Amino acid sequence: GFVRVASRLGWCWYSGDLWSVRDRCLSCEINWLDPEPSRECSDYELYVKELQDVQKFMRFYRGFHEPPTEMKYNQLLDERSYLI
């Protein structure tokens, strides 16, 4: 799905329903479509705050920009089952 963080746009893979609190932690990393705003940008502080909020939902698939293979997924289940 598409993700907007302040003025920055990206997309990410996710598993389940993004409106479900439980499923939102099953999002992959964001693939950004534009560069990070500069620190001098007027909405930089908003960007940092919103990015922190969005990153809370990337717990299980942190470090993955696309869904893992089935074998890697099963390994993640064993390692990270406490997150879901």
Side-chain angles (χ1 to χ4, degrees):
F2 285 99
V3 178
R4 178 171 295 280
V5 177
S7 62
R8 196 172 187 198
L9 184 63
W11 64 274
C12 66
W13 294 94
Y14 60 89
S15 173
D17 179 1
L18 278 181
W19 300 110
S20 162
V21 173
R22 179 186 180 275
D23 287 352
R24 278 189 269 178
C25 70
L26 301 178
S27 169
C28 291
E29 299 280 348
I30 298 171
N31 297 288
W32 295 108
L33 301 175
D34 52 0
E36 181 174 330
S38 71
R39 293 179 186 269
E40 292 80 34
C41 185
S42 62
D43 70 344
Y44 184 76
E45 287 184 30
L46 176 64
Y47 165 74
V48 170
K49 182 196 176 309
E50 288 184 5
L51 181 61
Q52 290 170 345
D53 291 342
V54 168
Q55 287 177 332
K56 292 176 188 174
F57 302 121
M58 294 178 213
R59 294 170 32 197
F60 188 79
Y61 291 121
R62 184 166 302 278
F64 289 87
H65 287 271
E66 61 185 27
T69 63
E70 181 179 359
M71 188 169 81
K72 184 62 180 177
Y73 172 77
N74 288 328
Q75 182 182 354
L76 288 173
L77 280 178
D78 291 340
E79 295 171 355
R80 302 178 183 184
S81 62
Y82 64 90
L83 293 175
I84 56 174

